[in-house]
């Protein structure tokens, strides 16, 4: 590992031209509050801090990719509300990608090759790219922030309605056994091999005794194509972010067995990542981008901004959907499509509350461990060194401090501690091997 991957950036409090930081009065404890005077001009109150200057970014532009998903909102809002410009980067482009595979390919190209410099991305992807497991050669990446927690879903076709398939997937296991006896190959779709949706789907199946490597066929379908494929019967189930679960329900094509916050309370989901060589060359710009994204996350998490957020990101150039397709679940109102409904569901998507934006290293360690579990990374991977190389939580902390984020909203540790999943299994980041050894269903590769 290079010395660069371990060191922290030193950002100068210069008086030269640079963006003036937003003064932030969030409530202590990571509650559902947003920045004082955030994009949009409203105020959450609180005591202001003295304004400070930041060193001007080395460049004024960057090309950032996104997939048409609700959790891309922080990048879209940062662009729409002028936050990139606010921090000295007026020429940032936020560019739609057709799939996670296209995101990977364009990151390999980089902006110099008509690709992109960074992206809204599945958290495990920067690790798979850094190790060269999904790229032509290793492409070092840096995670600068988490974009959200919770907010994904596992949905099934309407053929399974009435079978009471929820977090408890035993009825699905029975249906699979009948299908297999009849010679049918049951397909379940995810968005990228080794990505978050793949891991949520595999965890849910395996927790109920369904081996995803043997009992079903796991296929890859880009998020915007999930609804069309469930309609044509290409697959029986899928895991994806919004709005595609909600659209499946609204079009009466299927139902959501669960939302992923039920699998793991406040689980990490997407990340904001950049090519590591870009970050090394442009440290001030990396901080400026992160500041813009963090401020956008604060804005998105304010209840009074949710309707406007949905209106903005639903536009043709962004998600290209009806705003009502994302409004309900963004507000925590979930129609599962099988008769179950939740109002103000506490495990819906979060952008800022409860440290949602901070990239805990312990969370990245779980993703890397799960990718080892399913054979995407070899057993001998030095997981701690890999996480230390990719995860740049130090840049997040510098950005948060420059924004005046209260100490109470900045985690004191890079670990969130022991995590407990819906089936009672615990992950101790101090001993990931014990977690891996205890799992009954896995597909390890040396």
């Amino acid at each position: 590992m290079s010395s660069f991957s371990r060191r922290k950036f030193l950002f100068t409090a210069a008086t030269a031209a640079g963006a003036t930081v937003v003064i932030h009065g969030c409530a202590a404890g990571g509650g559902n509050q947003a920045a004082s005077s955030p994009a949009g001009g409203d105020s959450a109150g609180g005591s202001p801090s003295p304004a400070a200057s930041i060193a001007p970014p080395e460049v004024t532009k960057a090309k950032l990719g996104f997939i048409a998903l609700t959790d891309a909102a922080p990048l879209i809002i940062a662009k729409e509300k002028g936050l990139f410009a606010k921090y000295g980067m007026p020429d940032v482009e936020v560019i739609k990608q057709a799939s996670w595979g296209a995101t990977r390919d364009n990151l390999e190209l980089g902006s110099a090759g008509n690709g992109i410099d960074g992206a809204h991305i599945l958290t495990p992807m920067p690790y798979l790219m850094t190790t060269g497991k999904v790229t032509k050669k290793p492409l070092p990446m840096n995670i600068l922030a988490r974009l959200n927690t919770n907010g994904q879903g596992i949905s099934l076709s309407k053929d399974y309605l009435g079978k009471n398939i929820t977090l408890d997937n035993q009825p699905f296991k029975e249906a699979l056994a009948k299908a297999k006896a009849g010679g049918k190959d049951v397909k379940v779709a995810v968005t990228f091999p080794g990505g978050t949706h793949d891991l949520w789907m595999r965890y849910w199946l395996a927790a109920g005794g369904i081996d995803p490597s043997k009992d079903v066929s796991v296929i890859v379908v880009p998020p915007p194509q999930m609804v069309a494929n469930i309609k044509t019967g290409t697959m029986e189930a899928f895991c994806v972010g919004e709005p595609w679960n909600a659209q499946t329900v609204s079009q009466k094509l299927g139902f959501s067995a669960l939302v992923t916050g039920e699998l793991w309370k406040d689980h990490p989901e997407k990340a904001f990542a950049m090519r590591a060589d870009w970050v090394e060359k442009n440290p001030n710009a990396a901080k400026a981008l992160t500041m813009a994204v963090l401020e956008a996350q604060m804005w998105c998490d304010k209840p009074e901004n949710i309707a406007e957020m949905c209106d903005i990101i639903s536009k043709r150039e962004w998600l290209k959907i009806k705003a009502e397709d994302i409004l309900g679940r963004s507000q925590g109102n979930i129609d599962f499509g099988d008769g179950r409904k939740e109002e103000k569901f506490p495990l819906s998507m979060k952008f800022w509350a409860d440290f949602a934006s901070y990239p805990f290293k312990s969370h990245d360690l779980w993703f890397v461990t799960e990718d080892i579990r399913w054979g995407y990374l070899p057993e001998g991977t030095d997981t701690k060194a890999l996480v230390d190389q990719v995860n740049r939580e130090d840049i997040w902390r510098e950005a948060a401090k420059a924004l005046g984020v209260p100490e109470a909203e900045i985690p004191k540790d890079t670990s969130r501690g022991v995590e407990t999943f819906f089936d009672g299994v615990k992950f101790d980041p101090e001993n990931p091997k014990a977690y891996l050894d205890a799992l009954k269903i896995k597909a390890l590769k040396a």
Side-chain angles (χ1 to χ4, degrees):
M1 186 178 6
S2 69
S3 60
F4 161 72
S5 65
R6 291 187 295 265
R7 67 178 167 82
K8 291 187 176 182
F9 286 121
L10 298 176
F11 292 96
T12 308
T15 57
T20 302
V21 299
V22 63
I23 306 307
H24 173 200
C26 292
N32 196 14
Q33 300 287 329
S36 171
S37 300
D42 49 348
S43 173
S47 301
S49 304
S53 300
I54 62 168
E58 300 81 2
V59 293
T60 62
K61 76 175 298 181
K63 291 186 176 181
L64 307 177
F66 79 98
I67 294 283
L69 293 162
T70 307
D71 48 33
L75 265 63
I76 297 169
I77 293 300
K79 176 64 176 178
E80 286 268 358
K81 293 287 186 179
L83 298 180
F84 293 125
K86 177 178 181 177
Y87 296 112
M89 300 192 68
D91 304 315
V92 170
E93 296 179 63
V94 179
I95 306 165
K96 186 180 291 186
Q97 309 294 298
S99 66
W100 294 118
T103 300
R104 171 204 57 203
D105 295 346
N106 283 320
L107 282 166
E108 280 192 278
L109 291 171
S111 60
N114 204 31
I116 56 178
D117 304 302
H120 153 250
I121 201 166
L122 299 166
T123 289
M125 283 182 67
Y127 290 97
L128 296 169
M129 296 170 72
T130 295
T131 55
K133 297 303 177 184
V134 297
T135 46
K136 298 178 184 69
K137 61 181 182 180
L139 177 64
M141 295 290 296
N142 284 160
I143 289 175
L144 308 186
R146 196 81 65 216
L147 288 180
N148 69 295
T149 56
N150 303 326
Q152 318 303 294
I154 293 179
S155 294
L156 281 73
S157 107
K158 62 185 178 183
D159 295 341
Y160 292 88
L161 272 170
K163 296 185 183 296
N164 197 31
I165 301 171
T166 59
L167 272 174
D168 178 3
N169 62 23
Q170 289 308 297
F172 189 47
K173 184 177 182 181
E174 294 166 10
L176 288 175
K178 289 180 181 178
K180 199 169 185 179
K184 182 177 181 179
D185 179 24
V186 175
K187 295 181 175 66
V188 300
V190 299
T191 63
F192 191 84
T196 54
H197 304 114
D198 186 19
L199 301 183
W200 306 141
M201 176 65 82
R202 289 175 183 272
Y203 193 97
W204 176 66
L205 293 172
I210 301 169
D211 190 333
S213 302
K214 299 175 182 177
D215 299 331
V216 296
S217 292
V218 180
I219 64 172
V220 173
V221 174
Q225 296 176 25
M226 287 293 187
V227 177
N229 277 278
I230 202 77
K231 185 176 184 178
T232 59
T234 303
M235 69 272 196
E236 311 292 311
F238 63 83
C239 182
V240 74
E242 297 305 334
W244 312 116
N245 297 285
Q247 276 202 352
T248 297
V249 171
S250 66
Q251 294 181 28
K252 302 188 183 306
L253 299 172
F255 66 100
S256 295
L258 60 107
V259 291
T260 50
E262 297 176 281
L263 287 179
W264 175 11
K265 179 182 177 182
D266 291 341
H267 69 76
E269 186 38 51
K270 303 299 188 300
F272 171 48
M274 302 288 294
R275 287 175 56 118
D277 57 359
W278 194 96
V279 174
E280 183 169 23
K281 186 178 179 181
N282 306 294
N284 295 334
K287 178 182 176 181
L289 290 174
T290 306
M291 291 173 71
V293 169
L294 265 59
E295 185 176 341
Q297 289 180 278
M298 297 173 200
W299 186 89
C300 289
D301 230 25
K302 293 190 74 173
E304 60 267 35
N305 292 336
I306 291 176
E308 183 185 352
M309 179 194 80
C310 292
D311 285 341
I312 291 171
I313 69 175
S314 65
K315 291 178 182 178
R316 176 178 292 273
E317 63 268 35
W318 305 123
L319 272 59
K320 196 181 177 182
I321 57 165
K322 295 178 181 178
E324 52 263 35
D325 285 345
I326 49 175
L327 180 59
R329 292 197 180 197
S330 294
Q331 293 174 325
N333 302 326
I334 302 172
D335 179 354
F336 286 83
D338 59 359
R340 293 176 296 143
K341 293 185 179 181
E342 291 279 356
E343 298 292 323
K344 305 300 180 184
F345 190 61
L347 299 177
S348 55
M349 189 179 295
K350 300 176 185 177
F351 295 104
W352 183 259
D354 303 318
F355 306 128
S357 171
Y358 176 75
F360 284 99
K361 287 188 175 183
S362 59
H363 289 163
D364 285 9
L365 184 60
W366 181 84
F367 284 121
V368 172
T369 302
E370 279 290 297
D371 273 341
I372 292 172
R373 175 187 185 181
W374 299 115
Y376 295 115
L377 290 171
E379 267 194 274
T381 301
D382 186 339
T383 56
K384 185 180 184 303
L386 179 59
V387 170
D388 285 344
Q389 178 185 356
V390 174
N391 184 301
R392 296 303 309 273
E393 58 83 34
D394 56 306
I395 296 177
W396 187 97
R397 288 179 184 275
E398 292 288 347
K401 288 176 182 176
L403 286 169
V405 174
E407 287 294 326
E409 295 188 34
I410 300 177
K412 292 181 170 44
D413 199 282
T414 60
S415 173
R416 201 171 72 172
V418 176
E419 304 283 350
T420 303
F421 296 81
F422 82 105
D423 55 350
V425 171
K426 295 182 183 296
F427 174 75
D428 184 351
E430 295 299 318
N431 193 356
K433 187 176 185 303
Y435 166 83
L436 194 58
D437 290 346
L439 296 168
K440 295 179 181 178
I441 298 177
K442 46 197 170 189
L444 301 175
K445 289 183 183 179

